Amino acid sequence: WWITTLLWWITTLLWWITTLWWITTLLWWITTLLGWITTLLRRITTLLRRITTLLRRIATLLWWIATLLWWITTLLWWITTLLGWITTLLRRITTLLRRITT
């Protein structure tokens, strides 16, 4: 009777050890998977930082282009205005010369 009980206890103990081994293996796989996910997220984060830096540079470049175009437009407006004043002045001079010569 006591041999059977002893064998039962040994069997139970071995069962618990086996169960703990499976739990340990499962936890190891979960840890490994989490490590892979962490590495993947780090790479994605690095990629997103690079994309963000690139987009900032593009935005800065576009801002400089827009500023340059604004200055060119302003310059062209002033030239157009000046030409308009010169044209008006020449018309008045032409009209005045016609009146004087007739």
Side-chain angles (χ1 to χ4, degrees), residues 6-24:
L6 181 65
L7 286 175
W8 182 83
W9 279 108
I10 291 171
T11 306
T12 305
L13 180 66
L14 288 174
W15 181 82
W16 276 107
I17 291 171
T18 306
T19 304
L20 289 176
W21 181 82
W22 280 108
I23 291 172
T24 306

Side-chain angles (χ1 to χ4, degrees), residues 27-94:
L27 290 175
W28 182 84
W29 278 109
I30 290 171
T31 306
T32 304
L33 182 64
L34 289 176
W36 291 341
I37 291 171
T38 303
T39 303
L40 181 64
L41 289 176
R42 282 182 187 157
R43 289 183 181 173
I44 290 172
T45 303
T46 303
L47 181 64
L48 288 177
R49 283 183 188 150
R50 289 180 183 169
I51 290 172
T52 303
T53 303
L54 180 64
L55 289 177
R56 283 181 186 157
R57 289 180 181 166
I58 290 172
T60 303
L61 178 65
L62 289 176
W63 182 84
W64 279 109
I65 291 171
T67 303
L68 180 65
L69 289 175
W70 181 84
W71 280 108
I72 291 171
T73 305
T74 303
L75 180 64
L76 289 175
W77 180 84
W78 278 108
I79 291 171
T80 305
T81 303
L82 183 62
L83 288 175
W85 292 343
I86 292 171
T87 304
T88 302
L89 182 63
L90 289 175
R91 281 184 187 162
R92 288 184 182 172
I93 291 172
T94 305

